[in-house]
Amino acid sequence: MALQERGIKSRNLILRAAAEVFDERGYDSASTTEILERSGLTRGALYHHFPSKEAIAVALLTVHGEAVDVPAQAVKLQAVIDHTFDFAFRLQRDPVLRACVRLAVEQTSFRRHAFTPYQQSSAAVERLLGQAQEQGELLPGLDLAEAAAMITGTFTGIQVMSQVQTGRADLPERVGMMWRFLLPGLVNPGMIGRLRLTADPAPAELSGAVRESARS
Amino acid sequence: MALQERGIKSRNLILRAAAEVFDERGYDSASTTEILERSGLTRGALYHHFPSKEAIAVALLTVHGEAVDVPAQAVKLQAVIDHTFDFAFRLQRDPVLRACVRLAVEQTSFRRHAFTPYQQSSAAVERLLGQAQEQGELLPGLDLAEAAAMITGTFTGIQVMSQVQTGRADLPERVGMMWRFLLPGLVNPGMIGRLRLTADPAPAELSGAVRESARS
């Protein structure tokens, strides 16, 4: 294995181990020693990649940024809806994304960085809403920045409640509920019947399979 | 001062000190030593009232239960709306309520108790929605339990985002935004213009004054 390739592998091992520890314990209770033990690497390797626990957490948030990439769709609001279902499925399966969300939701000493994921999510949703507006999908006069903040905020609360009450087992159903309540305040009445408010099973299963194979 | 009265005063000093520490550090990082130091009481007095940190946190959640008492209103949905604004103002001012919310939102070792505040809030909202439905305020066929869960979940997410982005300074405006987006999926179109989507200033200021005098 080339040196560079080994470096990338070590970095990913650290990020995955850190994500698990942050997801289970939260930022303040996570120790670099535990992250080190789970990664199976040496302390030297850890510090080669990341000078501090904070630096690891900042790196994890970039993963969140990548997770807001949304596949293209003819109906732009369907792309927003599919994105929330995809995010819900990934939260159920992926400790890296769960760690990002926990870092963003909890009032830890890391919190001053936690603005980023909300901005990333809101900005991605607002871009899609802009396209939806151009296509005449939305109610006239809708404030896109507000609508994007509303969708991001509602998803945040829905996923916190689902995490408390069912360990996120019912998150996809709650996302469907969220859209049934939000759509009348967002889209043209004629659009409502045209939107699918359940997960598009194909891409979620596919990305799950890709993640499984990437893991092994 | 009578013995019983002194006991109630000590108990309240402990709860207030604990609320401040839980609000600032979260459950897992809070120590009974710090709670003790802030309360100004002896360790004996602390353990007389509460056998453990967990017992203090459970007692704090009963305060949350009392906070979901909603004043009567002719228009029942207005009572739900006023309750969310009142809750927002109290979150800005009252460390006890902030501690309850932090205990409910974060994935600490206390989390197994954290179901309670969501149940209390959802149940109170669902009761009011039932009355609103009887008065013909709501869209026909609305699932009241779902609507109550949606309102509670949305408020949760809105307040997390407001806390991250502005330290809850813009929470009342965000609550107004939340209602503008939610109402079309909840109420009869004819109701929307009849509802006030800003805080009713009188009761919030009054309860603030009462709390200030109770504190001194």
Side-chain angles (χ1 to χ4, degrees), chain B residues 77-102:
Chain B
L77 204 74
Q78 189 67 60
V80 181
I81 294 168
D82 287 354
H83 168 55
T84 58
F85 279 108
D86 180 57
F87 204 86
F89 278 109
R90 292 169 72 178
L91 273 177
Q92 288 180 323
R93 287 162 181 75
D94 186 349
V96 175
L97 212 56
R98 281 202 295 272
C100 292
V101 166
R102 187 164 181 185

PDB file of all heavy atoms in Angstrom, chain B residues 77-102:
ATOM      1  N   LEU B  77     -56.994  27.378  19.720  1.00  0.00           N
ATOM      2  CA  LEU B  77     -55.692  27.361  19.072  1.00  0.00           C
ATOM      3  C   LEU B  77     -54.850  28.569  19.501  1.00  0.00           C
ATOM      4  O   LEU B  77     -53.626  28.486  19.566  1.00  0.00           O
ATOM      5  CB  LEU B  77     -55.810  27.306  17.556  1.00  0.00           C
ATOM      6  CG  LEU B  77     -54.528  26.703  16.996  1.00  0.00           C
ATOM      7  CD1 LEU B  77     -54.467  25.214  17.228  1.00  0.00           C
ATOM      8  CD2 LEU B  77     -54.350  27.039  15.556  1.00  0.00           C
ATOM      9  N   GLN B  78     -55.522  29.689  19.836  1.00  0.00           N
ATOM     10  CA  GLN B  78     -54.777  30.846  20.355  1.00  0.00           C
ATOM     11  C   GLN B  78     -54.096  30.486  21.680  1.00  0.00           C
ATOM     12  O   GLN B  78     -52.988  30.946  21.965  1.00  0.00           O
ATOM     13  CB  GLN B  78     -55.723  32.042  20.544  1.00  0.00           C
ATOM     14  CG  GLN B  78     -54.985  33.342  20.868  1.00  0.00           C
ATOM     15  CD  GLN B  78     -54.146  33.834  19.699  1.00  0.00           C
ATOM     16  OE1 GLN B  78     -54.652  34.101  18.631  1.00  0.00           O
ATOM     17  NE2 GLN B  78     -52.827  33.943  19.917  1.00  0.00           N
ATOM     18  N   ALA B  79     -54.749  29.655  22.475  1.00  0.00           N
ATOM     19  CA  ALA B  79     -54.144  29.219  23.739  1.00  0.00           C
ATOM     20  C   ALA B  79     -52.864  28.426  23.467  1.00  0.00           C
ATOM     21  O   ALA B  79     -51.855  28.589  24.162  1.00  0.00           O
ATOM     22  CB  ALA B  79     -55.143  28.378  24.546  1.00  0.00           C
ATOM     23  N   VAL B  80     -52.900  27.551  22.445  1.00  0.00           N
ATOM     24  CA  VAL B  80     -51.689  26.777  22.089  1.00  0.00           C
ATOM     25  C   VAL B  80     -50.586  27.737  21.645  1.00  0.00           C
ATOM     26  O   VAL B  80     -49.438  27.630  22.080  1.00  0.00           O
ATOM     27  CB  VAL B  80     -51.987  25.752  20.967  1.00  0.00           C
ATOM     28  CG1 VAL B  80     -50.735  24.959  20.627  1.00  0.00           C
ATOM     29  CG2 VAL B  80     -53.119  24.807  21.359  1.00  0.00           C
ATOM     30  N   ILE B  81     -50.949  28.692  20.781  1.00  0.00           N
ATOM     31  CA  ILE B  81     -49.963  29.654  20.267  1.00  0.00           C
ATOM     32  C   ILE B  81     -49.383  30.479  21.417  1.00  0.00           C
ATOM     33  O   ILE B  81     -48.156  30.620  21.543  1.00  0.00           O
ATOM     34  CB  ILE B  81     -50.622  30.559  19.198  1.00  0.00           C
ATOM     35  CG1 ILE B  81     -51.002  29.725  17.974  1.00  0.00           C
ATOM     36  CG2 ILE B  81     -49.706  31.726  18.822  1.00  0.00           C
ATOM     37  CD1 ILE B  81     -51.917  30.432  16.980  1.00  0.00           C
ATOM     38  N   ASP B  82     -50.252  31.005  22.285  1.00  0.00           N
ATOM     39  CA  ASP B  82     -49.775  31.813  23.419  1.00  0.00           C
ATOM     40  C   ASP B  82     -48.848  30.993  24.319  1.00  0.00           C
ATOM     41  O   ASP B  82     -47.861  31.514  24.837  1.00  0.00           O
ATOM     42  CB  ASP B  82     -50.961  32.325  24.245  1.00  0.00           C
ATOM     43  CG  ASP B  82     -51.712  33.434  23.518  1.00  0.00           C
ATOM     44  OD1 ASP B  82     -51.242  33.864  22.445  1.00  0.00           O
ATOM     45  OD2 ASP B  82     -52.762  33.864  24.023  1.00  0.00           O
ATOM     46  N   HIS B  83     -49.186  29.726  24.487  1.00  0.00           N
ATOM     47  CA  HIS B  83     -48.342  28.860  25.316  1.00  0.00           C
ATOM     48  C   HIS B  83     -46.930  28.761  24.753  1.00  0.00           C
ATOM     49  O   HIS B  83     -45.940  28.824  25.494  1.00  0.00           O
ATOM     50  CB  HIS B  83     -48.992  27.477  25.426  1.00  0.00           C
ATOM     51  CG  HIS B  83     -48.090  26.436  26.001  1.00  0.00           C
ATOM     52  ND1 HIS B  83     -47.467  26.584  27.224  1.00  0.00           N
ATOM     53  CD2 HIS B  83     -47.684  25.238  25.514  1.00  0.00           C
ATOM     54  CE1 HIS B  83     -46.723  25.511  27.468  1.00  0.00           C
ATOM     55  NE2 HIS B  83     -46.833  24.691  26.449  1.00  0.00           N
ATOM     56  N   THR B  84     -46.807  28.630  23.421  1.00  0.00           N
ATOM     57  CA  THR B  84     -45.461  28.513  22.841  1.00  0.00           C
ATOM     58  C   THR B  84     -44.679  29.823  23.005  1.00  0.00           C
ATOM     59  O   THR B  84     -43.477  29.800  23.269  1.00  0.00           O
ATOM     60  CB  THR B  84     -45.509  28.104  21.351  1.00  0.00           C
ATOM     61  OG1 THR B  84     -46.283  29.061  20.614  1.00  0.00           O
ATOM     62  CG2 THR B  84     -46.111  26.726  21.175  1.00  0.00           C
ATOM     63  N   PHE B  85     -45.360  30.974  22.859  1.00  0.00           N
ATOM     64  CA  PHE B  85     -44.657  32.252  23.075  1.00  0.00           C
ATOM     65  C   PHE B  85     -44.243  32.415  24.536  1.00  0.00           C
ATOM     66  O   PHE B  85     -43.134  32.860  24.838  1.00  0.00           O
ATOM     67  CB  PHE B  85     -45.532  33.439  22.643  1.00  0.00           C
ATOM     68  CG  PHE B  85     -45.505  33.682  21.168  1.00  0.00           C
ATOM     69  CD1 PHE B  85     -46.607  33.384  20.380  1.00  0.00           C
ATOM     70  CD2 PHE B  85     -44.364  34.193  20.555  1.00  0.00           C
ATOM     71  CE1 PHE B  85     -46.583  33.607  19.006  1.00  0.00           C
ATOM     72  CE2 PHE B  85     -44.335  34.411  19.185  1.00  0.00           C
ATOM     73  CZ  PHE B  85     -45.443  34.114  18.415  1.00  0.00           C
ATOM     74  N   ASP B  86     -45.146  32.047  25.448  1.00  0.00           N
ATOM     75  CA  ASP B  86     -44.826  32.143  26.876  1.00  0.00           C
ATOM     76  C   ASP B  86     -43.635  31.250  27.211  1.00  0.00           C
ATOM     77  O   ASP B  86     -42.712  31.647  27.922  1.00  0.00           O
ATOM     78  CB  ASP B  86     -46.064  31.725  27.689  1.00  0.00           C
ATOM     79  CG  ASP B  86     -45.799  31.799  29.183  1.00  0.00           C
ATOM     80  OD1 ASP B  86     -45.426  32.894  29.653  1.00  0.00           O
ATOM     81  OD2 ASP B  86     -45.925  30.778  29.879  1.00  0.00           O
ATOM     82  N   PHE B  87     -43.641  30.037  26.658  1.00  0.00           N
ATOM     83  CA  PHE B  87     -42.539  29.092  26.887  1.00  0.00           C
ATOM     84  C   PHE B  87     -41.234  29.673  26.338  1.00  0.00           C
ATOM     85  O   PHE B  87     -40.176  29.562  26.971  1.00  0.00           O
ATOM     86  CB  PHE B  87     -42.882  27.756  26.209  1.00  0.00           C
ATOM     87  CG  PHE B  87     -42.172  26.583  26.815  1.00  0.00           C
ATOM     88  CD1 PHE B  87     -42.697  25.927  27.914  1.00  0.00           C
ATOM     89  CD2 PHE B  87     -40.976  26.120  26.270  1.00  0.00           C
ATOM     90  CE1 PHE B  87     -42.036  24.836  28.472  1.00  0.00           C
ATOM     91  CE2 PHE B  87     -40.316  25.031  26.824  1.00  0.00           C
ATOM     92  CZ  PHE B  87     -40.854  24.387  27.930  1.00  0.00           C
ATOM     93  N   ALA B  88     -41.307  30.320  25.175  1.00  0.00           N
ATOM     94  CA  ALA B  88     -40.112  30.937  24.579  1.00  0.00           C
ATOM     95  C   ALA B  88     -39.557  32.034  25.486  1.00  0.00           C
ATOM     96  O   ALA B  88     -38.351  32.084  25.747  1.00  0.00           O
ATOM     97  CB  ALA B  88     -40.448  31.503  23.199  1.00  0.00           C
ATOM     98  N   PHE B  89     -40.430  32.917  25.985  1.00  0.00           N
ATOM     99  CA  PHE B  89     -39.971  33.987  26.877  1.00  0.00           C
ATOM    100  C   PHE B  89     -39.370  33.423  28.153  1.00  0.00           C
ATOM    101  O   PHE B  89     -38.361  33.910  28.652  1.00  0.00           O
ATOM    102  CB  PHE B  89     -41.136  34.931  27.217  1.00  0.00           C
ATOM    103  CG  PHE B  89     -41.384  35.944  26.150  1.00  0.00           C
ATOM    104  CD1 PHE B  89     -42.512  35.879  25.352  1.00  0.00           C
ATOM    105  CD2 PHE B  89     -40.477  36.969  25.920  1.00  0.00           C
ATOM    106  CE1 PHE B  89     -42.741  36.802  24.356  1.00  0.00           C
ATOM    107  CE2 PHE B  89     -40.689  37.909  24.920  1.00  0.00           C
ATOM    108  CZ  PHE B  89     -41.819  37.821  24.134  1.00  0.00           C
ATOM    109  N   ARG B  90     -39.999  32.385  28.690  1.00  0.00           N
ATOM    110  CA  ARG B  90     -39.489  31.807  29.935  1.00  0.00           C
ATOM    111  C   ARG B  90     -38.149  31.125  29.707  1.00  0.00           C
ATOM    112  O   ARG B  90     -37.271  31.158  30.571  1.00  0.00           O
ATOM    113  CB  ARG B  90     -40.526  30.853  30.522  1.00  0.00           C
ATOM    114  CG  ARG B  90     -41.741  31.630  31.004  1.00  0.00           C
ATOM    115  CD  ARG B  90     -42.907  30.736  31.339  1.00  0.00           C
ATOM    116  NE  ARG B  90     -42.667  30.004  32.568  1.00  0.00           N
ATOM    117  CZ  ARG B  90     -43.558  29.173  33.098  1.00  0.00           C
ATOM    118  NH1 ARG B  90     -44.725  28.989  32.502  1.00  0.00           N
ATOM    119  NH2 ARG B  90     -43.294  28.541  34.204  1.00  0.00           N
ATOM    120  N   LEU B  91     -37.977  30.498  28.536  1.00  0.00           N
ATOM    121  CA  LEU B  91     -36.673  29.895  28.225  1.00  0.00           C
ATOM    122  C   LEU B  91     -35.574  30.951  28.182  1.00  0.00           C
ATOM    123  O   LEU B  91     -34.435  30.693  28.569  1.00  0.00           O
ATOM    124  CB  LEU B  91     -36.724  29.175  26.876  1.00  0.00           C
ATOM    125  CG  LEU B  91     -37.185  27.727  26.893  1.00  0.00           C
ATOM    126  CD1 LEU B  91     -37.250  27.184  25.467  1.00  0.00           C
ATOM    127  CD2 LEU B  91     -36.242  26.860  27.721  1.00  0.00           C
ATOM    128  N   GLN B  92     -35.921  32.151  27.713  1.00  0.00           N
ATOM    129  CA  GLN B  92     -34.915  33.226  27.675  1.00  0.00           C
ATOM    130  C   GLN B  92     -34.520  33.668  29.084  1.00  0.00           C
ATOM    131  O   GLN B  92     -33.403  34.131  29.288  1.00  0.00           O
ATOM    132  CB  GLN B  92     -35.476  34.438  26.923  1.00  0.00           C
ATOM    133  CG  GLN B  92     -35.605  34.237  25.427  1.00  0.00           C
ATOM    134  CD  GLN B  92     -36.173  35.464  24.728  1.00  0.00           C
ATOM    135  OE1 GLN B  92     -37.048  36.144  25.270  1.00  0.00           O
ATOM    136  NE2 GLN B  92     -35.682  35.747  23.542  1.00  0.00           N
ATOM    137  N   ARG B  93     -35.430  33.544  30.053  1.00  0.00           N
ATOM    138  CA  ARG B  93     -35.207  34.154  31.363  1.00  0.00           C
ATOM    139  C   ARG B  93     -34.956  33.170  32.490  1.00  0.00           C
ATOM    140  O   ARG B  93     -34.357  33.529  33.496  1.00  0.00           O
ATOM    141  CB  ARG B  93     -36.443  34.991  31.736  1.00  0.00           C
ATOM    142  CG  ARG B  93     -36.563  36.278  30.938  1.00  0.00           C
ATOM    143  CD  ARG B  93     -37.969  36.846  31.002  1.00  0.00           C
ATOM    144  NE  ARG B  93     -38.100  38.066  30.208  1.00  0.00           N
ATOM    145  CZ  ARG B  93     -38.171  38.059  28.874  1.00  0.00           C
ATOM    146  NH1 ARG B  93     -38.112  36.919  28.207  1.00  0.00           N
ATOM    147  NH2 ARG B  93     -38.283  39.211  28.216  1.00  0.00           N
ATOM    148  N   ASP B  94     -35.448  31.953  32.371  1.00  0.00           N
ATOM    149  CA  ASP B  94     -35.526  31.069  33.534  1.00  0.00           C
ATOM    150  C   ASP B  94     -34.571  29.870  33.408  1.00  0.00           C
ATOM    151  O   ASP B  94     -34.807  28.958  32.628  1.00  0.00           O
ATOM    152  CB  ASP B  94     -36.980  30.581  33.670  1.00  0.00           C
ATOM    153  CG  ASP B  94     -37.203  29.785  34.933  1.00  0.00           C
ATOM    154  OD1 ASP B  94     -36.215  29.434  35.603  1.00  0.00           O
ATOM    155  OD2 ASP B  94     -38.373  29.497  35.249  1.00  0.00           O
ATOM    156  N   PRO B  95     -33.479  29.864  34.209  1.00  0.00           N
ATOM    157  CA  PRO B  95     -32.521  28.747  34.119  1.00  0.00           C
ATOM    158  C   PRO B  95     -33.155  27.398  34.464  1.00  0.00           C
ATOM    159  O   PRO B  95     -32.671  26.358  33.993  1.00  0.00           O
ATOM    160  CB  PRO B  95     -31.422  29.108  35.118  1.00  0.00           C
ATOM    161  CG  PRO B  95     -31.964  30.195  35.966  1.00  0.00           C
ATOM    162  CD  PRO B  95     -33.055  30.872  35.180  1.00  0.00           C
ATOM    163  N   VAL B  96     -34.216  27.393  35.276  1.00  0.00           N
ATOM    164  CA  VAL B  96     -34.841  26.115  35.651  1.00  0.00           C
ATOM    165  C   VAL B  96     -35.470  25.463  34.413  1.00  0.00           C
ATOM    166  O   VAL B  96     -35.270  24.277  34.141  1.00  0.00           O
ATOM    167  CB  VAL B  96     -35.891  26.322  36.770  1.00  0.00           C
ATOM    168  CG1 VAL B  96     -36.626  25.013  37.054  1.00  0.00           C
ATOM    169  CG2 VAL B  96     -35.217  26.828  38.039  1.00  0.00           C
ATOM    170  N   LEU B  97     -36.185  26.266  33.629  1.00  0.00           N
ATOM    171  CA  LEU B  97     -36.804  25.729  32.416  1.00  0.00           C
ATOM    172  C   LEU B  97     -35.739  25.364  31.379  1.00  0.00           C
ATOM    173  O   LEU B  97     -35.851  24.350  30.680  1.00  0.00           O
ATOM    174  CB  LEU B  97     -37.789  26.758  31.847  1.00  0.00           C
ATOM    175  CG  LEU B  97     -38.999  26.174  31.138  1.00  0.00           C
ATOM    176  CD1 LEU B  97     -39.766  25.241  32.042  1.00  0.00           C
ATOM    177  CD2 LEU B  97     -39.915  27.291  30.667  1.00  0.00           C
ATOM    178  N   ARG B  98     -34.690  26.196  31.289  1.00  0.00           N
ATOM    179  CA  ARG B  98     -33.596  25.874  30.357  1.00  0.00           C
ATOM    180  C   ARG B  98     -32.951  24.550  30.723  1.00  0.00           C
ATOM    181  O   ARG B  98     -32.618  23.746  29.850  1.00  0.00           O
ATOM    182  CB  ARG B  98     -32.534  26.979  30.387  1.00  0.00           C
ATOM    183  CG  ARG B  98     -32.897  28.202  29.581  1.00  0.00           C
ATOM    184  CD  ARG B  98     -31.649  28.987  29.202  1.00  0.00           C
ATOM    185  NE  ARG B  98     -30.958  29.538  30.362  1.00  0.00           N
ATOM    186  CZ  ARG B  98     -31.237  30.730  30.911  1.00  0.00           C
ATOM    187  NH1 ARG B  98     -32.189  31.478  30.398  1.00  0.00           N
ATOM    188  NH2 ARG B  98     -30.569  31.154  31.945  1.00  0.00           N
ATOM    189  N   ALA B  99     -32.782  24.309  32.035  1.00  0.00           N
ATOM    190  CA  ALA B  99     -32.186  23.043  32.473  1.00  0.00           C
ATOM    191  C   ALA B  99     -33.080  21.872  32.073  1.00  0.00           C
ATOM    192  O   ALA B  99     -32.594  20.845  31.589  1.00  0.00           O
ATOM    193  CB  ALA B  99     -31.965  23.057  33.982  1.00  0.00           C
ATOM    194  N   CYS B 100     -34.401  22.029  32.260  1.00  0.00           N
ATOM    195  CA  CYS B 100     -35.341  20.966  31.867  1.00  0.00           C
ATOM    196  C   CYS B 100     -35.179  20.640  30.386  1.00  0.00           C
ATOM    197  O   CYS B 100     -35.131  19.474  29.997  1.00  0.00           O
ATOM    198  CB  CYS B 100     -36.786  21.406  32.098  1.00  0.00           C
ATOM    199  SG  CYS B 100     -37.232  21.577  33.814  1.00  0.00           S
ATOM    200  N   VAL B 101     -35.117  21.683  29.564  1.00  0.00           N
ATOM    201  CA  VAL B 101     -35.022  21.480  28.117  1.00  0.00           C
ATOM    202  C   VAL B 101     -33.696  20.817  27.762  1.00  0.00           C
ATOM    203  O   VAL B 101     -33.652  19.887  26.956  1.00  0.00           O
ATOM    204  CB  VAL B 101     -35.212  22.826  27.383  1.00  0.00           C
ATOM    205  CG1 VAL B 101     -34.784  22.724  25.936  1.00  0.00           C
ATOM    206  CG2 VAL B 101     -36.679  23.254  27.459  1.00  0.00           C
ATOM    207  N   ARG B 102     -32.619  21.274  28.388  1.00  0.00           N
ATOM    208  CA  ARG B 102     -31.321  20.648  28.085  1.00  0.00           C
ATOM    209  C   ARG B 102     -31.325  19.170  28.505  1.00  0.00           C
ATOM    210  O   ARG B 102     -30.812  18.307  27.791  1.00  0.00           O
ATOM    211  CB  ARG B 102     -30.186  21.415  28.785  1.00  0.00           C
ATOM    212  CG  ARG B 102     -28.839  20.915  28.362  1.00  0.00           C
ATOM    213  CD  ARG B 102     -27.664  21.815  28.680  1.00  0.00           C
ATOM    214  NE  ARG B 102     -26.465  21.147  28.166  1.00  0.00           N
ATOM    215  CZ  ARG B 102     -25.232  21.540  28.320  1.00  0.00           C
ATOM    216  NH1 ARG B 102     -24.973  22.640  28.980  1.00  0.00           N
ATOM    217  NH2 ARG B 102     -24.229  20.858  27.812  1.00  0.00           N
TER     218      ARG B 102
END
